[in-house]
Amino acid sequence: MLRMPRFEVSCPESLPEALALLAESELDTRVMAGGTDLLVALKNRLEVPQRVVSLARVGGLDHVTEQEGSLAIGARVTLAQLGASDLVRRLAPALGEAARSVASPQVRQVATIGGNALLSTRCRYYNQSHFWRKALGFCLKKDGTLCHVVEGGKKCVAAASGDTAPALLTLGARVTLESQHGVRALPLLDLYRNDGIANTVLRPDELLTELVVPAQRPGHRGAYEKLRVREAIDYPLLGVAVRLDVDPDSAVVTDVDVVLTALQAKPRRVARIDSLIVGVPIHGEAFEAAAAQLGLRARDQCHPVANVPGDPEYRRKLVPVLVRRALLRAAGAA
Amino acid sequence: MAARDRHGSGPPFGDVFKVVGTSARKVDGMAKATGEAVFTDDITLPGMLHAKTLRSPHAHARIVAIDTTRAAALPGVRAVITGRDLPGRFGVLPWTQDETALALEKVRFVGEPVAAVAAVDEDTAIDALELIRIEYELLTPHFDPLDALRDDAAPIHDTRERNVSKNVLLEFGDVNAEFARADVVIDEHYSFHGTTHAAIEPHCALARLGADGVLTLYSSTQITHYVQRTVAKVLELPEHLVRVIQPCVGGGFGGKSDPFSLELCVCKLACITGRPVKMLYDREEVFYTHRGRHPMQMHFRTAATREGKLLALDARTVLDGGAYSSFGLVTTYYSGQLLAGPYALDALRFDSTRVFTNKPPCGPKRGHGAVQPRFAFEVQLDELATRLDLDPIELRRRGALPAYTETLNGQRITSNGLLACLTAVERASEWRVRRGRLPFGVGLGVAASMYISGTNYPVYPNEMPQAGIVLEANRSGLVTVLTGSNDIGQGASTIVRMLVAEELGLALDQVRVVAADTDLCPVDLGAYSSRVTFMVGNAAIDACRKLRAKLTSALAAHWETFEGDIVLSEGEAFDRKEPTRRLSLKEAIAIAEAKYDTLATAGSYNTPKLGGAYRGGTIGASPSYSFTAHVAEVRVDDETGRITCEHLYVAHDCGRALNPMLVAGQMDGSAYMGAAEALMEDHDVDERGLHRGPSLLDYPIPTALDVPGLSSLIVESIDPEGPYGAKEAGEGPLHPAVPAIANAVYDAVGVRLRHLPFTPARVLAELEQQRAALEGRRARC
Ligand SMILES: Cc1cc2nc3c(=O)[nH]c(=O)nc-3n(C[C@H](O)[C@H](O)[C@H](O)COP(=O)(O)OP(=O)(O)OC[C@H]3O[C@@H](n4cnc5c(N)ncnc54)[C@H](O)[C@@H]3O)c2cc1C
Ligand code: SF4
């Protein structure tokens, strides 16, 4: 079994206590929610903190509540809870699908939405044991000076790999970050940076406490498609979330949003797609043609690199397929 | 010699079996389900130290200097060893002893063990590894076997001039003449990739040197006997002072059938420190330990008549052996020898070359050496059937060898249920109405195979029995069975218990099996080549017959009747003629013990003389062969290239199903393992020699959601050689899975897959090529 490095563990009983611990800057500290990502990182010596602050006993972070169609989700809500929630199924179907696609039932039982939103980027050259990375000569993201994905690259292009982020982005989610210095609320999109090493703007003294999914329009539909080797466990090799707003009376598309993940460090919103599909009725061949067009446009904006396992060219070929399928499924799931 | 007697295939008393044929629970099933079972890592001894291995970060390098002083000085460290401390060469086969416990002059793959540390705990041992300084001189590595074969390629083993690990060229019949008279020839290239066993339990070993001078080793091995011999050899100890015990093992599949570095290291460290020492590999280390399936590049040519009669097969194969020999000599033979069946051929030639490369060593994985050529040949037969417009099952039926025959390379076939297997999968899959008629994207494919039930070739030549059993009947009513065989989850001890209960008329709980402890048990060669049920089963029956003779003769004297009238059944003994004369077996044992003194017997088994009269003719020769047929049903997503194996219909001729639940379990497990190899697994290194993902995240094995539907159809041919007619069931059922899936893909979408693994990217590329070709043709019209 892989051993963990030695570190101190703190289990604060309240949010203020947790924030106080994070404010102490002498110890290099990591936050642990479900630990399903952090523990693996510790074992692989990707993280070697002096202290781990566990959120296990911090109350007030595990609510899923609705207010006028808007969803408030505590950061410590598990993916199993989210995946099984009727509120989520009804108000944010893509988020439910994405949550259910993560890892395996056992992992989802402890994995949290906060941890998923803050998941570090992944790379085949980085998410490996210490021995393996040392044999490789390490890389830019940790302990090294080279990037093995992009020859001569000066920037880490490890892939955003959380499944829920693209769904949350299509839903226009906002996040609440708290520290002893106060509360920040920002659009989820602004939480992310396109940098594989530091992919969020979260400060070390901050906690993510809540995610808010604003009320969607009456004819809201959504879907999440995921490319992976196995039907469970695997991280996305490509993830596609779509939001489709449909006029309830005319069944015509009024708005669309498509966000892809597992390509680069930040999930990617596909640009210039409204004109392809807005105004098209969701039943019929015109929609299918529009969905296919949209898929091709998405592909033209994507340039997968060999950061996650598998052939990047294959992932590129799959972009239009997954985009079209997600749109068709969203349209059909009335 | 009694050991070679056949025991007959019928029940010992009357005409119905009491125990055989029931799905009795495994002896350790409940213990494993409740967590009570003790695996090697569960054992902790007083004062025990923990050891860790330092591994090579280079694929090919000369060791210039090793400095362990800082590591040895770290508080908590008790001993540090390097190759110099264990210089004795070993290897599972006596002819190719090219391994050392820790690298001596050179390292030959990334992950090769170089030094080991014993310390008070694992963390200290890990810290100590970081303090060992090694100076390497880098050498050019070879990852491609064809590259390693080039004349100017530097040898990976200095003792050899070239990187040829083994070459076998054999010809039976006149291949060229058969090709000259053929109506059709299919000539294609195929390739099989590397796959590993991925047993759930990582390797673990724990050694203790007792005050009595006995070195005891607990190890997660499937071959206690060879480990005992190797430890004695490398540590230069008399064999009788080495005791090897195999606790519960969490799966082997061939991955625990070599003696390994960790076993030798803990023994040496225990000798140096005088304290028990344990080493547990992590998952990554298991990937480096490997001994998995050899990647093979195969150029196969098949000649046939217009009617589909097979004339000849000409097979050229390059086996990528990795850095060491392991079982490779045998693998090289198996890659050709088992092609002589299950179909009749007039001529067969194979030219197989195993090559050393700078990768984790390959070895035996379930279906050892025969799964890869079986893939190539069964796909080639499908191509032949297409060319001749014949039903692929019909083609195989026409070619099937009969029962009780000899293959052209001199392998004696006894019972043969191949035709029954083909019929079973044909019916179950509704082949006749569905194949070729399913919608685009859905298809059926067939393949068949045969496999050995043990080999008559022990890995070191000797005249002694291959399997031994000792029985002791105790006046408590318990019969204790001592067997050297290794139960690695396949159910070996369960089968032994069932056979003894059947023969002596005991209830199952009156039989206790003590297995795989070299101090207590007679020698058995171990759990490999599908030999255990067959050979140990025969030895058990042999021992039982001797004990039974004592019981029945004592009872006959007691009741003043004839021995032949005594029946032992379900815990009781009675006189068939006068059933009121009835005693419990406990009482019967007491009567026999009073008459004959302490009741113990020994039994054994050895194979009859088998095999062709040519060099290597005994390799692949088995006392009996199992036969298998699969029909695979697949769905191919033509946009993503993803193959979903919806169902595998598996028919396997196991002779007699001594325990149908265990047979079906082996069939299910084999078929699923084969499907996983075809569709997702890939054990490979990158251009630096680094493993592509030595974890169960990056090396995907199927989750419950990825397993196809499985129908395990047991076929019984009642073999005259096996215990009550049984043959093997542990490996044979794997072979056809891979080609059946390939052939089903052809039926589904018309794409011929000749190169493994069938990843979605590869399948999609094939589909695109096919589309381009079709469009090209259309444009030309
Ligand atoms: C076998 C396996 C398969 C997996 N497959 C997938 C998959 O398919 N898709 C996928 O998206 N993920 C996958 N994961 C990763 C992981 O399980 C999920 O992303 C999970 O949601 C992470 O949540 P957690 O609570 O366990 O996070 P943790 O491990 O506790 O934390 C993850 C990161 O977020 C930080 N963090 C967590 N909560 C907070 C907070 N409230 N405030 C500030 N920082 C915080 C931590 O410091 C850490 O850096 C897999 C993991 C495993 C072990
Ligand atoms: S993208 Fe480059 S720098 Fe980033 S983790 Fe991968 S190899 Fe390292």
Side-chain angles (χ1 to χ4, degrees):
Chain A
M1 215 179 355
L2 281 173
R3 303 281 306 168
M4 280 193 270
R6 275 155 274 199
F7 51 82
E8 196 183 302
V9 180
S10 307
C11 295
E13 309 269 342
S14 68
L15 187 59
E17 207 188 309
L19 295 178
L21 282 166
L22 294 183
E24 298 168 3
S25 55
E26 358 17 299
L27 290 183
D28 185 20
T29 299
R30 295 290 178 282
V31 172
M32 174 171 129
T36 58
D37 185 51
L38 185 71
L39 295 185
V40 183
L42 292 169
K43 287 189 162 199
N44 282 335
R45 305 294 204 267
L46 299 173
E47 303 280 359
V48 195
Q50 291 162 300
R51 180 170 65 186
V52 168
V53 172
S54 163
L55 300 183
R57 295 192 196 147
V58 175
L61 298 176
D62 40 21
H63 55 279
V64 183
T65 48
E66 183 208 341
Q67 211 176 14
E68 291 169 20
S70 159
L71 267 177
I73 303 169
R76 227 189 48 204
V77 169
T78 67
L79 297 178
Q81 277 172 283
L82 215 54
S85 157
D86 282 334
L87 276 179
V88 173
R89 211 181 286 267
R90 190 156 49 80
L91 300 175
L95 176 60
E97 283 189 7
R100 287 190 294 276
S101 81
V102 171
S104 63
Q106 293 91 328
V107 172
R108 292 197 293 273
Q109 211 61 37
V110 285
T112 67
I113 181 69
N116 196 255
L118 292 168
L119 189 69
S120 178
T121 57
R122 295 183 61 86
C123 173
R124 67 213 285 184
Y125 298 104
Y126 171 73
N127 294 94
Q128 301 287 356
S129 72
H130 185 259
F131 168 80
W132 194 99
R133 284 181 295 119
K134 193 173 168 188
L136 172 73
F138 299 109
C139 79
L140 270 183
K141 184 162 176 177
K142 187 167 167 46
D143 303 327
T145 53
L146 290 176
C147 175
H148 306 281
V149 172
V150 179
E151 212 178 313
K154 288 280 164 280
K155 198 173 143 206
C156 171
V157 293
S161 297
D163 282 302
T164 61
L168 287 165
L169 289 168
T170 61
L171 294 161
R174 300 175 66 80
V175 287
T176 310
L177 310 180
E178 293 190 43
S179 73
Q180 277 199 325
H181 302 292
V183 180
R184 300 201 269 168
L186 46 150
L188 181 62
L189 192 62
D190 296 347
L191 176 68
Y192 296 122
R193 306 176 61 222
N194 198 12
D195 175 348
I197 296 174
N199 67 323
T200 71
V201 300
L202 184 84
R203 293 194 315 258
D205 67 334
E206 278 181 319
L207 277 181
L208 168 63
T209 51
E210 192 180 65
L211 295 102
V212 176
V213 176
Q216 304 296 310
R217 295 199 206 163
H220 166 81
R221 291 129 195 266
Y224 181 66
E225 285 282 331
K226 175 172 177 178
L227 179 69
R228 54 180 160 184
V229 177
R230 294 175 284 192
E231 296 291 333
I233 308 236
D234 297 335
Y235 285 90
L237 299 173
L238 176 66
V240 177
V242 304
R243 172 173 58 81
L244 207 55
D245 292 344
V246 179
D247 183 288
D249 301 323
S250 62
V252 157
V253 177
T254 57
D255 195 16
V256 66
D257 194 9
V258 178
V259 177
L260 309 184
T261 197
L263 292 167
Q264 53 185 40
K266 185 174 177 171
R268 185 181 185 112
R269 169 164 284 143
V270 184
R272 301 187 311 278
I273 50 176
D274 289 12
S275 61
L276 295 176
I277 204 162
V278 169
V280 177
I282 56 166
H283 307 296
E285 282 172 20
F287 184 82
E288 286 190 23
Q293 279 302 313
L294 209 158
L296 294 175
R297 180 144 307 167
R299 185 194 60 196
D300 293 342
Q301 296 174 24
C302 295
H303 309 282
V305 290
N307 46 9
V308 300
D311 172 15
E313 187 46 40
Y314 174 72
R315 282 156 63 219
R316 183 156 186 273
K317 282 185 200 166
L318 268 280
V319 170
V321 179
L322 262 59
V323 168
R324 199 189 77 238
R325 287 184 179 182
L327 285 166
L328 290 177
R329 219 153 44 70
Chain B
M1 180 177 169
R4 289 184 180 127
D5 283 353
R6 292 172 173 184
H7 306 296
S9 51
F13 302 98
D15 27 272
V16 278
F17 284 108
K18 294 291 177 353
V19 182
V20 162
T22 66
S23 288
R25 273 202 182 144
K26 283 190 182 180
V27 286
D28 53 0
M30 284 306 277
K32 280 182 179 157
T34 57
E36 175 192 309
V38 175
F39 294 82
T40 306
D41 188 42
D42 291 323
I43 304 172
T44 298
L45 296 176
M48 187 174 87
L49 301 173
H50 295 267
K52 283 274 161 198
T53 299
L54 181 69
R55 293 173 182 275
S56 165
H58 304 300
H60 198 191
R62 204 167 288 288
I63 298 173
V64 178
I66 305 187
D67 180 0
T68 60
T69 41
R70 283 177 63 217
L74 186 74
V77 169
R78 292 289 180 269
V80 184
I81 54 173
T82 67
R84 295 224 179 116
D85 298 293
L86 281 169
R89 291 194 188 268
F90 68 92
V92 70
L93 303 183
W95 303 276
T96 52
Q97 306 233 320
D98 54 13
E99 298 183 55
T100 51
L102 299 165
L104 256 179
E105 313 88 16
K106 267 177 102 172
V107 288
R108 297 181 174 87
F109 65 96
V110 174
E112 175 160 9
V114 181
V117 173
V120 290
D121 56 35
E122 273 188 273
D123 291 334
T124 308
I126 292 168
D127 290 346
L129 295 184
E130 290 288 314
L131 300 176
I132 298 175
R133 289 283 157 265
I134 304 185
E135 201 186 310
Y136 290 105
E137 175 198 329
L138 300 190
L139 303 169
T140 310
H142 301 294
F143 304 121
D144 176 358
L146 297 180
D147 174 43
L149 274 179
R150 289 209 331 246
D151 286 339
D152 58 346
I156 292 169
H157 289 272
D158 298 349
T159 49
R160 307 235 190 178
E161 267 169 41
R162 296 185 62 213
N163 285 316
V164 176
S165 155
K166 177 75 192 170
N167 174 255
V168 177
L169 171 59
L170 283 171
E171 178 164 351
F172 308 95
D174 186 342
V175 169
N176 293 347
E178 296 298 335
F179 271 89
R181 76 178 175 106
D183 298 319
V184 226
V185 171
I186 311 281
D187 180 334
E188 287 292 349
H189 292 262
Y190 307 84
S191 60
F192 207 109
H193 60 316
T195 67
T196 199
H197 320 81
I200 195 77
E201 181 206 21
H203 302 59
C204 185
L206 163 57
R208 174 185 61 183
L209 180 63
D212 54 2
V214 176
L215 179 66
T216 303
L217 172 68
Y218 301 86
S219 181
S220 60
T221 179
Q222 43 188 117
I223 46 143
T224 357
H225 176 60
Y226 297 144
V227 170
Q228 180 194 27
R229 285 168 56 88
T230 305
V231 168
K233 175 175 191 260
V234 176
L235 275 89
E236 298 176 348
L237 292 170
E239 256 175 68
H240 70 274
L241 291 182
V242 177
R243 176 181 187 183
V244 180
I245 300 171
Q246 173 235 306
C248 255
V249 163
F253 311 109
K256 294 172 182 165
S257 36
D258 288 63
F260 288 114
S261 168
L262 84 166
E263 293 163 325
L264 297 160
C265 287
V266 293
C267 286
K268 185 70 188 178
L269 290 167
C271 291
I272 293 173
T273 60
R275 287 171 60 171
V277 180
K278 183 197 279 183
M279 177 145 28
L280 169 67
Y281 278 172
D282 62 40
R283 182 56 63 180
E284 181 174 6
E285 295 181 286
V286 175
F287 278 98
Y288 298 142
T289 305
H290 194 43
R291 318 290 160 144
R293 197 142 349 269
H294 287 68
M296 291 193 197
Q297 298 178 27
M298 299 166 281
H299 179 193
F300 275 36
R301 296 194 307 138
T302 297
T305 67
R306 206 166 286 118
E307 296 73 37
K309 178 182 159 28
L310 301 176
L311 298 176
L313 169 61
D314 183 15
R316 284 174 75 90
T317 302
V318 173
L319 297 83
D320 182 349
Y324 291 96
S325 288
S326 181
F327 282 85
L329 181 153
V330 174
T331 321
T332 313
Y333 274 103
Y334 280 3
S335 73
Q337 285 289 62
L338 289 168
L339 288 167
Y343 313 109
L345 291 168
D346 290 337
L348 166 68
R349 176 166 60 213
F350 68 91
D351 182 353
S352 294
T353 306
R354 185 180 191 268
V355 185
F356 289 120
T357 54
N358 293 105
K359 303 194 230 182
C362 296
K365 178 179 167 184
R366 205 177 203 171
H368 188 186
V371 170
Q372 306 92 320
R374 179 58 53 198
F375 158 68
F377 191 41
E378 293 290 321
V379 171
Q380 189 141 79
L381 288 182
D382 213 62
E383 295 178 71
L384 178 65
T386 307
R387 179 87 69 83
L388 295 173
D389 199 17
L390 263 177
D391 178 308
I393 291 187
E394 186 52 32
L395 176 78
R396 287 171 171 80
R397 244 188 218 120
R398 289 186 195 173
L401 283 170
Y404 302 98
T405 186
E406 194 176 288
T407 61
L408 82 165
N409 59 349
Q411 293 164 3
R412 185 198 69 180
I413 306 268
T414 50
S415 63
N416 178 348
L418 178 64
L419 292 177
C421 288
L422 286 168
T423 303
V425 292
E426 184 180 45
R427 278 211 197 110
S429 65
E430 299 177 46
W431 175 270
R432 292 208 183 166
V433 292
R434 297 176 71 225
R435 192 217 163 235
R437 295 178 205 166
L438 292 163
F440 180 81
V442 188
L444 294 179
V446 71
S449 65
M450 74 172 199
Y451 201 61
I452 55 175
S453 301
T455 157
N456 76 327
Y457 187 72
V459 308
Y460 64 99
N462 71 80
E463 295 296 315
M464 291 171 280
Q466 299 203 34
I469 287 261
V470 169
L471 295 181
E472 189 245 337
N474 192 282
R475 60 185 83 163
S476 69
L478 177 75
V479 171
T480 301
V481 189
L482 305 179
T483 165
S485 68
N486 299 86
D487 192 330
I488 55 170
Q490 86 280 43
S493 294
T494 305
I495 292 296
V496 168
R497 169 155 94 162
M498 290 176 74
L499 295 179
V500 172
E502 183 73 55
E503 274 293 315
L504 301 178
L506 295 160
L508 283 174
D509 65 4
Q510 287 183 285
V511 183
R512 209 103 78 230
V513 181
V514 175
D517 178 332
T518 58
D519 261 18
L520 304 182
C521 306
V523 167
D524 178 68
L525 297 185
Y528 65 93
S529 80
S530 279
R531 55 177 295 288
V532 175
T533 292
F534 193 93
M535 297 198 186
V536 179
N538 273 331
I541 294 177
D542 183 41
C544 285
R545 297 267 152 118
K546 293 171 190 165
L547 185 62
R548 201 170 89 192
K550 291 188 180 181
L551 290 172
T552 52
S553 90
L555 286 172
H558 182 70
W559 283 326
E560 297 179 359
T561 175
F562 298 103
E563 266 178 62
D565 290 335
I566 308 286
V567 176
L568 309 179
S569 176
E570 295 174 277
E572 288 188 322
F574 59 88
D575 181 345
R576 194 197 319 259
K577 296 264 171 56
E578 218 158 318
T580 50
R581 287 180 179 158
R582 192 174 279 270
L583 287 170
S584 71
L585 265 173
K586 176 173 186 247
E587 292 164 307
I589 288 170
I591 289 168
E593 189 178 342
K595 186 168 163 74
Y596 290 115
D597 298 339
T598 302
L599 290 177
T601 59
S604 42
Y605 177 77
N606 216 341
T607 50
K609 232 180 153 32
L610 293 168
Y614 53 88
R615 192 187 165 116
T618 57
I619 304 184
S622 173
S624 69
Y625 293 86
S626 72
F627 295 86
T628 312
H630 282 202
V631 164
E633 181 171 342
V634 303
R635 183 176 298 275
V636 182
D637 183 329
D638 69 331
E639 281 188 324
T640 64
R642 193 182 173 93
I643 301 171
T644 307
C645 184
E646 301 275 4
H647 209 97
L648 279 172
Y649 301 90
V650 183
H652 179 72
D653 163 23
C654 65
R656 183 193 293 282
L658 300 175
N659 181 324
M661 177 181 69
L662 293 189
V663 171
Q666 288 297 320
M667 292 167 68
D668 288 352
S670 292
Y672 132 96
M673 192 177 239
E677 292 187 50
L679 300 177
M680 47 181 70
E681 295 180 29
D682 192 2
H683 190 274
D684 201 4
V685 301
D686 70 7
E687 65 281 4
R688 307 164 190 83
L690 273 176
H691 196 287
R692 286 197 182 271
S695 71
L696 291 180
L697 185 64
D698 288 332
Y699 182 88
I701 57 173
T703 72
L705 295 177
D706 303 298
V707 178
L710 295 165
S711 301
S712 288
L713 314 162
I714 296 176
V715 169
E716 296 188 311
S717 62
I718 313 299
D719 190 79
E721 297 283 328
Y724 299 133
K727 303 189 284 193
E728 76 90 34
E731 302 187 75
L734 188 151
H735 301 238
V738 184
I741 289 172
N743 295 341
V745 169
Y746 184 77
D747 186 43
V749 293
V751 162
R752 189 55 81 187
L753 297 176
R754 301 192 186 91
H755 302 282
L756 283 155
F758 308 147
T759 57
R762 172 170 280 150
V763 176
L764 188 61
E766 294 278 352
L767 283 161
E768 283 168 352
Q769 261 186 26
Q770 182 199 41
R771 260 171 240 152
L774 275 179
E775 266 153 38
R777 232 172 288 155
R778 231 174 268 142
R780 263 178 271 131
C781 287

